[in-house]
Amino acid sequence: MHDHDTGIPKNPWSVFGYYVAVVAVLIFALFPFFYAISSSLKKGQALFTTSLWPAHPSLDNYIAVFKEQPFGANLLNSVIVATAVVAFSLGLSLLSAYALGRVSFRGRGTLMLCILSVSMFPQVALLSGLFELIRFLGLYDHLGALMLSDLIFTLPFTVWVLVTFIRDLPKELEEAAVMDGVGLFTLIFKIFMPLLWPAMVATSLLAFIAAWNEFLFALTFTLSSDERTVPVAIALISGASSFELPWGNLMAASVIVTVPLILLVLAFQRYIVSGLTAGAVKG
Amino acid sequence: MSTAREPVSVIGKQRRRQAWWLVLPTLLVLAATAGWPLARTIWFSLTDAQLQDLSARQFVGLANYIGEGGILRDGEWWHAVGNTLLFSVSTVFLETLIGLGVALLLNTPSRVQGLLRAAVLVPWAIPTVVSAKMWSWMLHDQFGIINAILVGLHLVDRGLAFTADPHLAFPTIIMVDVWKTTPFMALLILAALQMVPGDCYEAARVDGVPRWRVFRYITLPLIMPGILVAMIFRSLDALRVFDVIYVMTSNSHVTKSMSVYVREQLIDFQQVGYGSAAATLLFFIIALCTTLYMGLTRPRLDADR
């Protein structure tokens, strides 16, 4: 153990306490998902034993999930919705982040606050108005309804985070560009965008996760099981009776939905942490 | 951009005009998807609209709020308000407390620091619906592993019905939310901790100040603003809680939050007028808290540039 920075003395009891705490946090954080994986591999009656790992791991539950319901379609829906939402939010917010972060014009602060306040809107407060709008656009029970409604919470967030990052880039960038007579879109997409890519990775990931996990709108604006996204599909998995949920299938579906997210998050953890803190604390 | 050089300031003027055009698409999208629907919700709350046919509605004034069967006289609504407040206060309190502990662990340099940070991110990455289902399975009254452990340790005679028992359902939901959201708090508090200048600790250590006193009198006051902002941020989220409650206990009376109540009225009972009135109340409660949040962050906004 090194002890500069926080000044932890090398007292063996402190070191011991530290590791006890670490182990406790590790178990608390990781055990539930580990148990979901182990349950998803249990076949038939083995599911009802509480062993930590199945004696005969089997992929039956995984096969059943895709057979017994349109889970493949649900996964594809989630990917389509989340990708479209990320693309729209990033495109729109790059333009406005440049304006809000680099140009000082009257009303800028008010605009920022307006955009931020949208992200505080409770989703249910928009439900009846959105319902009317979506029916009017003929999008009810279509993925388009979700792409539209998910923008409500991703867009303010991506604008906000990109503004905090774009603000910190050196001022000389524009001055040089302006002297060279570079156009506005060249300035945004050729000069700023390449410098912003860590922030863009962070915001895309966070927006993707938010859209992937979104539940309330997806539950309300889709009806047929083919149009559902995965969170809704998982929430609505039901068995022969309401008391007999197919827990094996449920855990398999949960693992399928979560593993890509965990891999993404772990691969990009540095960016995620910086994006999260820019979104909340620096704001 | 107020440079003295002439060409720059001319272009600067042009840029300021362009800036509005650049923000316009974002503003239009937000106005269409959030502003307009919100206005419609508030308007619906003054009518007796039904979900089947929203156009066949009559203006009823404030009847949905203060009328004979208005929300403000509905015990179920006040019950939902109470639940939501209790949920928000207890989850934010627990998440801050545990999050602070985890953040301090994460901020301690050691060989397992990277592993620990990765592990802490896992619950955060799991979708709320999935975490609710995972815990429902672990807490299953007959086959759940938690009950197996409790019975094994002779703490209970037979499995507890964590999500069905009216006394246990609410604490269970709080626990699941704490599990899922503490990492978020820990990361925000960690960010605040990392901004504390190292020489503060150096000076204290040279003077031989005990560690808990360093924490109490140096670290805590320095990270307090960060913690407060994170707490308000989380409270705004907690006041809107829907997913975890809906998935674990559905529309059960015991655990119903304001959002669950609103959606039940709007969709399940198809009472758009009445449901919109409840939604409008929820909106104003959260708007009030948002103003508080803005009040705290505004000075920092202006401090930039």
Side-chain angles (χ1 to χ4, degrees):
Chain A
M1 291 226 1
H2 318 280
D3 68 338
H4 40 269
D5 261 315
T6 44
I8 298 266
K10 279 180 186 158
N11 175 343
W13 281 108
S14 306
V15 176
F16 178 73
Y18 170 80
Y19 280 101
V20 168
V22 166
V23 169
V25 170
L26 286 180
I27 291 177
F28 190 60
L30 298 179
F31 182 77
F33 192 60
F34 164 79
Y35 192 66
I37 296 176
S38 123
S39 300
S40 72
L41 296 172
K42 288 177 182 171
K43 190 173 152 184
Q45 286 305 306
L47 190 60
F48 304 112
T49 64
T50 48
S51 61
L52 287 183
W53 196 253
H56 307 285
S58 119
L59 290 175
D60 283 12
N61 292 322
Y62 289 84
I63 297 162
V65 167
F66 286 96
K67 265 199 190 145
E68 289 165 21
Q69 65 226 44
F71 198 67
N74 299 146
L75 272 173
L76 190 64
N77 289 343
S78 279
V79 172
I80 293 172
V81 170
T83 311
V85 167
V86 168
F88 286 138
S89 332
L90 272 192
L92 290 171
S93 58
L94 205 56
L95 296 180
S96 38
Y98 168 77
L100 293 167
R102 305 296 295 194
V103 186
S104 52
F105 58 96
R106 251 156 167 298
R108 186 177 62 157
T110 317
L111 276 183
M112 288 284 284
L113 285 181
C114 281
I115 292 173
L116 179 69
S117 66
V118 169
S119 69
M120 307 293 178
F121 281 16
Q123 277 176 292
V124 287
L126 306 175
L127 224 46
S128 40
L130 263 180
F131 210 97
E132 188 193 36
L133 180 72
I134 281 166
R135 265 196 197 159
F136 172 75
L137 297 173
L139 288 174
Y140 181 68
D141 203 21
H142 288 290
L143 296 183
L146 306 184
M147 296 177 192
L148 195 72
S149 46
D150 286 359
L151 283 176
I152 297 168
F153 52 87
T154 56
L155 190 52
F157 171 78
T158 50
V159 170
W160 195 257
V161 176
L162 286 185
V163 167
T164 61
F165 277 95
I166 209 169
R167 239 183 346 210
D168 295 340
L169 295 176
K171 213 172 176 174
E172 290 72 28
L173 270 175
E174 263 139 328
E175 284 170 7
V178 164
M179 283 305 185
D180 293 346
V182 163
L184 184 64
F185 288 97
T186 319
L187 180 66
I188 296 178
F189 290 102
K190 290 272 165 62
I191 298 178
F192 278 109
M193 205 171 95
L195 291 169
L196 275 179
W197 78 265
M200 299 205 20
V201 171
T203 42
S204 328
L205 270 169
L206 292 169
F208 187 90
I209 291 173
W212 181 269
N213 294 354
E214 201 286 322
F215 180 63
L216 179 55
F217 288 149
L219 179 71
T220 309
F221 299 140
T222 57
L223 193 64
S224 43
S225 49
D226 287 328
E227 293 293 318
R228 283 176 191 152
T229 55
V230 274
V232 183
I234 289 178
L236 298 183
I237 284 180
S238 54
S241 78
S242 59
F243 299 101
E244 283 173 65
L245 285 177
W247 287 105
N249 293 9
L250 250 170
M251 290 303 117
S254 301
V255 172
I256 296 170
V257 173
T258 310
V259 163
L261 284 191
I262 292 187
L263 292 181
L264 273 178
V265 166
L266 294 187
F268 294 98
Q269 49 172 303
R270 223 156 42 86
Y271 301 109
I272 291 206
V273 173
S274 69
L276 270 183
T277 45
V281 172
K282 262 168 97 185
Chain B
M1 293 262 287
S2 54
T3 327
R5 275 168 297 176
E6 193 121 340
V8 176
S9 82
V10 169
I11 293 175
K13 206 176 270 172
Q14 192 192 339
R15 282 280 136 88
R16 280 195 283 277
R17 231 174 305 129
Q18 286 167 340
W20 280 99
W21 287 104
L22 291 174
V23 189
L24 196 65
T26 303
L27 291 181
L28 284 180
V29 168
L30 289 179
T33 56
W36 172 252
L38 178 68
R40 292 300 284 174
T41 300
I42 296 176
W43 169 246
F44 282 138
S45 77
L46 304 173
T47 70
D48 61 356
Q50 304 273 316
L51 193 64
Q52 273 311 314
D53 185 6
L54 286 173
S55 55
R57 57 174 188 263
Q58 295 213 312
F59 183 78
V60 296
L62 292 174
N64 286 326
Y65 296 93
I66 51 176
E68 199 61 36
I71 293 166
L72 296 178
R73 299 192 193 179
D74 183 6
E76 190 75 0
W77 164 254
W78 290 111
H79 177 71
V81 173
N83 274 349
T84 311
L85 290 180
L86 184 61
F87 173 86
S88 306
V89 170
S90 30
T91 54
V92 173
F93 173 76
L94 289 172
E95 285 158 15
T96 309
L97 211 65
I98 305 172
L100 180 61
V102 174
L104 287 172
L105 273 190
L106 285 171
N107 201 34
T108 308
S110 86
R111 248 168 294 156
V112 292
Q113 199 180 11
L115 172 76
L116 191 65
R117 190 174 71 171
V120 165
L121 277 167
V122 168
W124 176 81
I126 293 179
T128 309
V129 170
V130 169
S131 84
K133 284 290 181 196
M134 263 167 38
W135 279 99
S136 297
W137 172 234
M138 287 174 49
L139 295 167
H140 196 280
D141 52 351
Q142 291 170 54
F143 313 116
I145 188 162
I146 306 274
N147 272 320
I149 294 170
L150 291 179
V151 172
L153 293 174
H154 298 288
L155 289 173
V156 293
D157 296 331
R158 59 197 167 81
L160 300 170
F162 284 100
T163 52
D165 185 325
H167 298 292
L168 290 175
F170 208 72
T172 302
I173 281 176
I174 289 173
M175 192 275 291
V176 174
D177 190 77
V178 167
W179 179 78
K180 159 96 181 102
T181 322
T182 299
F184 176 76
M185 275 309 239
L187 290 176
L188 293 190
I189 297 175
L190 177 65
L193 274 174
Q194 285 171 341
M195 282 190 260
V196 177
D199 23 337
C200 286
Y201 297 121
E202 280 304 319
R205 207 156 48 102
V206 170
D207 294 347
V209 181
R211 255 176 3 107
W212 68 268
R213 288 184 63 116
V214 174
F215 176 75
R216 171 70 186 78
Y217 293 103
I218 299 177
T219 317
L220 202 56
L222 282 170
I223 61 173
M224 214 48 199
I227 294 184
L228 271 182
V229 171
M231 282 174 79
I232 293 168
F233 205 74
R234 265 301 299 153
S235 311
L236 291 176
D237 233 20
L239 287 170
R240 299 181 280 194
V241 62
F242 177 81
D243 301 10
V244 65
I245 295 182
Y246 184 83
V247 174
M248 291 194 80
T249 55
S250 191
N251 286 340
S252 147
H253 163 78
V254 183
T255 53
K256 194 176 289 174
S257 71
M258 287 192 275
S259 288
V260 175
Y261 176 92
V262 170
R263 190 184 178 279
E264 188 183 34
Q265 296 293 339
L266 279 178
I267 309 296
D268 301 339
F269 301 160
Q270 314 241 329
Q271 301 291 337
V272 172
Y274 189 85
S276 297
T280 306
L281 287 180
L282 173 60
F283 172 77
F284 282 114
I285 294 175
I286 288 178
L288 202 75
C289 303
T290 309
T291 320
L292 183 79
Y293 171 70
M294 299 258 188
L296 276 177
T297 42
R298 181 94 207 218
R300 286 206 258 171
L301 262 179
D302 293 340
D304 290 306
R305 288 219 176 172

